Amino acid sequence: MKFEQIRGATSIVTYAGVRFLVDPMLAKKFAYPDVPTTINCAKGNPTTELPCPVDELFNVDALLVTHLHFDHFDEAAKQLIPKDIPVIVSNSKDAWFMNDIGFKTVINAQDGSSFKDIKISVTDCEHGDGDPVVHKIFKDKGIDGTAHGFVLESPKEKGSFYLAGDTILYESVFEAIEKFKPYVMAVNAACAQMCPSHSIMMGLDDVRVLCRYVKNISIVATHLDCVSHATVSADSLRAYGKLENLTNLFVPAQKECIEF
């Protein structure tokens, strides 16, 4: 399989010969405002430009969308992505949304599904709703804190691929690892925070614990250097990985493609 980092949580994953555009946020730099009241507000979002012309990203077989927060499927994606590209989502609410905006083929993988002979399973995330402080902030802002991950399985590959999605490291992540036994795992590792000390995705310590727990799994860190409420950069994670000798950690640069 191949993992090509684009920007933030957006990547292109090639698995069993099938190309998936993951979590497309396609707007220009600072097209959206910063995330208010968060720990590290920048001038706006996204905080970097796309590293390629946007239409280069549409040479794919399907979209894989973990949830509908702006940094995973934004207004630009809604407007620009051709609606004849199949889109795979994790629940009925997101499926309804994709149908409503005109996608011709929408696959809800909530109870298990397949695409081009690839088995697709949905995994759970802890994206802040389990934290009473973040839950209250989400509720006040009208934000749905629900997020999911995906697992891809095919006999054509060395093993499964686990896209963990927006989650901290918690019990359900370990359960998914034990159940699906991936050989490659992608984690969103920017340690975005809705307020100080209340993280809504993995950060340095999560990555360290995970890498040492699963030394036989290649861990790809993504969702870095793109949102105003992030507290971990790609450079800082690379330095930390070197310091901690995390030999199974990969932190690709924008447009870098890693083959496993």
Side-chain angles (χ1 to χ4, degrees):
M1 67 160 286
K2 298 178 182 178
F3 186 98
E4 182 181 1
Q5 177 64 32
I6 303 301
R7 178 184 65 177
T10 306
S11 61
I12 293 178
V13 170
T14 304
Y15 184 83
V18 180
R19 286 168 58 84
F20 297 91
L21 175 60
V22 177
D23 284 351
M25 179 171 66
L26 305 181
K28 295 181 180 298
K29 183 179 180 180
F30 298 154
Y32 310 124
D34 60 353
V35 181
T37 71
T38 56
I39 188 170
N40 185 30
C41 291
K43 295 178 181 179
N45 284 288
T47 61
T48 62
E49 294 286 8
L50 276 174
C52 61
V54 67
D55 56 1
E56 285 187 11
L57 303 177
F58 303 150
N59 181 27
V60 293
D61 297 292
L63 308 179
L64 201 59
V65 179
T66 60
H67 63 301
L68 298 180
H69 288 175
F70 81 94
D71 50 341
H72 296 263
F73 190 88
D74 67 346
E75 184 64 26
K78 175 182 173 181
Q79 299 296 329
L80 297 174
I81 296 176
K83 297 303 188 293
D84 58 348
I85 299 177
V87 56
I88 301 162
V89 296
S90 64
N91 60 80
S92 57
K93 181 180 178 181
D94 291 1
W96 180 90
F97 173 84
M98 293 298 183
N99 277 303
D100 189 59
I101 64 174
F103 280 95
K104 296 176 182 178
T105 302
V106 179
I107 299 169
N108 179 5
Q110 183 171 15
D111 297 318
S113 187
S114 63
F115 181 78
K116 292 185 179 290
D117 297 323
I118 296 172
K119 182 180 177 183
I120 303 172
S121 302
V122 173
T123 60
D124 292 330
C125 291
E126 175 48 72
H127 190 34
D129 265 352
D131 180 324
V133 175
V134 176
H135 179 76
K136 182 64 166 61
I137 293 172
F138 279 170
K139 185 176 180 181
D140 290 346
K141 294 177 181 291
I143 297 172
D144 182 358
T146 304
H148 293 97
F150 291 103
V151 174
L152 308 182
E153 297 176 275
S154 170
K156 297 178 182 178
E157 286 284 353
K158 300 173 187 176
S160 65
F161 167 64
Y162 176 19
L163 177 71
D166 270 4
T167 185
I168 60 172
L169 186 60
Y170 79 123
E171 182 179 354
S172 289
V173 174
F174 291 112
E175 290 174 351
I177 291 169
E178 293 302 317
K179 178 179 179 180
F180 294 104
K181 296 177 172 50
Y183 83 105
V184 180
M185 180 176 175
V187 300
N188 296 346
C191 198
Q193 299 184 7
M194 295 305 293
C195 55
S197 76
H198 292 267
S199 301
I200 57 175
M201 68 178 69
M202 295 191 201
L204 298 178
D205 290 328
D206 304 71
V207 171
R208 172 178 53 82
V209 170
L210 179 63
C211 285
R212 290 181 175 165
Y213 176 77
V214 292
K215 293 182 179 179
N216 61 325
I217 299 176
S218 296
I219 306 295
V220 181
T222 183
H223 204 328
L224 297 157
D225 299 336
C226 196
V227 293
S228 64
H229 54 311
T231 64
V232 171
S233 69
D235 284 345
S236 64
L237 184 54
R238 290 186 192 105
Y240 184 77
K242 184 176 181 180
L243 178 68
E244 294 290 334
N245 195 31
L246 304 179
T247 56
N248 56 334
L249 174 64
F250 299 84
V251 188
Q254 288 188 354
K255 286 298 287 176
E256 181 179 356
C257 185
I258 303 174
E259 187 168 358
F260 299 96

